[in-house]
Amino acid sequence: QTLVSGMGELHLQIYVERIKREYGVECIAGAPRVNYRETIMKKADFDYQHKKQSGGQGQYGRVIGYLEPTETIMDEPTFQSDMIGNVITPSWLAAIEKGFLESCDNGPLMEHRMSGA
């Protein structure tokens, strides 16, 4: 599966026809999806606790934080750690930041990319 993007439905139809004509490849095109963005309007606190026991030692983790809107609504999501001391190693912080940014790819309401948080 290959995803293509364009300026509108007509642009995508022309692209599909061109692929069929130039490369002789039959294309199945679905309905176009509008690239909406999700954002938050006010500060939101969260407290998430992860517990997983699958025999053996198991896993446990707790994340406490908040999301707040940025100055402009089209800003990409940013991660900021206000941790005091070196309680969590930098490699773990990098993994936490990666997980946060990946979760911003699918927003909570319509699963569109988040912006302005």
Side-chain angles (χ1 to χ4, degrees):
Q1 177 179 3
T2 301
L3 298 177
V4 293
S5 60
M7 299 298 289
E9 193 169 354
L10 179 62
H11 188 240
L12 295 175
Q13 288 173 352
I14 292 170
Y15 190 66
V16 168
E17 290 298 322
R18 189 171 165 201
I19 290 174
K20 288 179 184 177
R21 186 178 64 246
E22 291 182 14
Y23 300 106
V25 176
E26 189 62 33
C27 297
I28 300 171
R33 182 175 172 191
V34 178
N35 191 18
Y36 291 110
R37 296 284 179 124
E38 292 186 35
T39 190
I40 59 173
M41 301 305 290
K42 61 181 181 177
K43 183 177 177 179
D45 296 318
F46 62 87
D47 184 355
Y48 177 74
Q49 190 170 6
H50 172 79
K51 291 184 197 176
K52 184 175 181 182
Q53 184 72 36
S54 58
Q57 188 175 1
Q59 299 173 348
Y60 173 80
R62 185 172 184 191
V63 179
I64 302 170
Y66 61 90
L67 287 173
E68 63 183 352
T70 57
E71 296 294 324
T72 60
I73 201 164
M74 290 308 293
D75 288 343
E76 290 296 316
T78 55
F79 175 81
Q80 178 181 343
S81 173
D82 292 336
M83 186 177 58
I84 299 171
N86 217 6
V87 180
I88 299 176
T89 62
S91 61
W92 280 53
L93 271 178
I96 293 168
E97 180 177 4
K98 182 181 177 186
F100 168 75
L101 294 176
E102 285 178 3
S103 69
C104 290
D105 286 342
N106 296 320
L109 294 177
M110 295 173 28
E111 296 187 3
H112 289 281
R113 187 179 184 120
M114 288 188 64
S115 65

